[in-house]
Amino acid sequence: MKKNLLPLLALILPFGMVQAEQTLTYPTKNIEVVIPKNPGGGTDTSARTVIEFARDRMPKGTMFVPVNKPAGNGLTGLIEVAKAKPDGCKLVMTTVELAMFPHQGKSPVTYKDFTPLVTTIADPVAVVVNAKSPYNTLQEFIDAAKANPGKLKVGNSGMGAIYHLAAVNMEKTMDVKFNHIPYNEGTGPSIAALVGGHIDSVLTTPGSVKSQVDAGILKVLGVMDEKRFELFPDVPTFKEALGLDVNVKMRAWAVLATTAKVPDNVKQELVNTFTEVVKTPAYQEALKKQGIMPVVIAGDDAYNMMKEDDEMYKALIDETMKK
């Protein structure tokens, strides 16, 4: 993914980006942007894209410096920024794992240790099956799971990770039982297993399977969100597909943040600047070309999203650990 990003930005920026007036005034040195993931994934891509589009908003002689720090499942980078001097000169791409790890005993830091600036990813979890699958609707898939408890093989990117917990949430909400198949190397191997017919379904983000869906290899049955996903407008939400009384929401998000307790003026400059960036049509187009749907969730709204998911995952993980 990273290999495709730089040529893409080189093409888009000269024509699609208007030279912005300088909007940041506080930094007198470079701003380091910690990316707690390996190069090339969605988090890395979205981080590099948003700071690339923000580069002309920095004071003359300063720049954003992205640094990948994936050690310890990204915890090394998160802890480093959480403990940094609160001057806005260190940013970090937090991800949805920040809402899970503390409740799994894996992380000493939570969303409260950061000041959210802007969301770069907030894609819903989707139920995906092979195009040759007998299940053409989410209701048919759930009915089959009820009729065959523990039989349907549902792939995930690792036990305790977002897509496994999304399946657990389905079990809880729909009163079904799956056979969870972990692929600890990530989403790619689980999607490959689904394409090969080795499992019945995969839970992942819609953008992760767009090319296979466009090619008629896979199909998306439903999304865990309160509204339909723009990439697949014909795919219903869980509430629509199953006639539920409430929405089932689970999102794979990435939020650019800095250390908690930064001065209000620094926070506001950063939030305002990056909010303007994510509203830029050229930025949004760059994300779409990478299979990521742009969103505008910034500042306090981003904080509330992180808080809401932290509370949801705490309850879900607590219940899972009791079993």
Side-chain angles (χ1 to χ4, degrees):
M1 230 170 173
K2 183 181 173 186
K3 292 179 180 177
N4 297 328
L5 177 61
L6 294 180
L8 173 66
L9 292 178
L11 286 172
I12 290 176
L13 287 173
F15 303 103
M17 185 173 183
V18 177
Q19 184 77 9
E21 293 182 6
Q22 178 178 306
T23 56
L24 289 179
T25 63
Y26 74 89
T28 56
K29 58 182 180 180
N30 292 339
I31 295 180
E32 181 178 329
V33 182
V34 175
I35 306 171
K37 299 285 184 180
N38 287 309
T43 302
D44 179 71
T45 298
S46 68
R48 291 176 184 273
T49 302
V50 77
I51 61 176
E52 183 69 25
F53 276 83
R55 65 180 180 177
D56 291 327
R57 300 168 185 261
M58 287 283 282
K60 187 175 181 180
T62 58
M63 65 180 68
F64 293 105
V65 181
V67 183
N68 292 90
K69 296 186 178 182
N73 284 324
L75 285 174
T76 300
L78 288 170
I79 294 170
E80 176 185 322
V81 178
K83 295 183 178 299
K85 181 180 179 181
D87 58 5
C89 289
K90 267 188 182 288
L91 311 184
V92 62
M93 283 299 293
T94 64
T95 60
V96 68
E97 286 81 10
L98 183 64
M100 306 173 195
F101 284 171
H103 310 302
Q104 295 169 325
K106 298 178 181 178
S107 173
V109 297
T110 74
Y111 71 96
K112 296 178 182 179
D113 295 297
F114 301 95
T115 298
L117 307 176
V118 71
T119 305
T120 60
I121 302 174
D123 286 353
V125 176
V127 175
V128 185
V129 297
N130 194 293
K132 297 177 182 178
S133 166
Y135 316 119
N136 293 308
T137 67
L138 185 60
Q139 186 66 65
E140 290 177 356
F141 181 78
I142 294 300
D143 288 345
K146 287 184 177 180
N148 302 278
K151 299 293 186 182
L152 291 190
K153 297 177 181 178
V154 177
N156 62 62
S157 57
M159 301 300 276
I162 178 173
Y163 302 123
H164 169 238
L165 291 176
V168 171
N169 197 6
M170 287 178 64
E171 291 179 324
K172 172 187 171 187
T173 305
M174 270 69 79
D175 191 25
V176 296
K177 182 64 180 174
F178 298 123
N179 181 4
H180 302 278
I181 310 296
Y183 293 85
N184 295 324
E185 299 84 1
T187 303
S190 65
I191 294 172
L194 181 62
V195 170
H198 305 297
I199 54 179
D200 297 295
S201 176
V202 158
L203 268 63
T204 184
T205 55
S208 299
V209 294
K210 187 176 188 306
S211 60
Q212 292 93 338
V213 172
D214 290 345
I217 299 170
L218 301 178
K219 53 189 175 184
V220 183
L221 300 184
V223 293
M224 292 182 166
D225 206 349
E226 56 196 0
K227 64 182 187 305
R228 296 191 178 196
F229 192 61
E230 189 176 328
L231 278 181
F232 298 105
D234 295 331
V235 175
T237 66
F238 270 49
K239 184 177 181 180
E240 290 175 319
L242 303 175
L244 302 176
D245 294 330
V246 296
N247 286 304
V248 178
K249 282 200 310 183
M250 293 193 78
R251 302 160 286 197
W253 49 255
V255 176
L256 186 65
T258 188
T259 312
K261 298 181 180 179
V262 291
D264 287 342
N265 66 304
V266 171
K267 172 187 173 181
Q268 211 53 55
E269 282 196 28
L270 285 166
V271 170
N272 290 345
T273 295
F274 281 107
T275 300
E276 290 174 7
V277 168
V278 299
K279 290 180 178 179
T280 304
Y283 162 83
Q284 295 186 357
E285 188 60 29
L287 276 195
K288 288 179 183 178
K289 288 182 182 296
Q290 298 293 325
I292 301 169
M293 285 306 301
V295 292
V296 182
I297 306 172
D300 292 341
D301 288 338
Y303 185 88
N304 291 335
M305 178 183 74
M306 296 166 79
K307 180 176 184 290
E308 178 184 334
D309 276 13
D310 183 89
E311 293 170 351
M312 181 269 290
Y313 280 111
K314 180 182 187 304
L316 188 59
I317 291 167
D318 285 350
E319 183 170 320
T320 303
M321 292 176 70
K322 289 177 184 176
K323 295 181 179 180

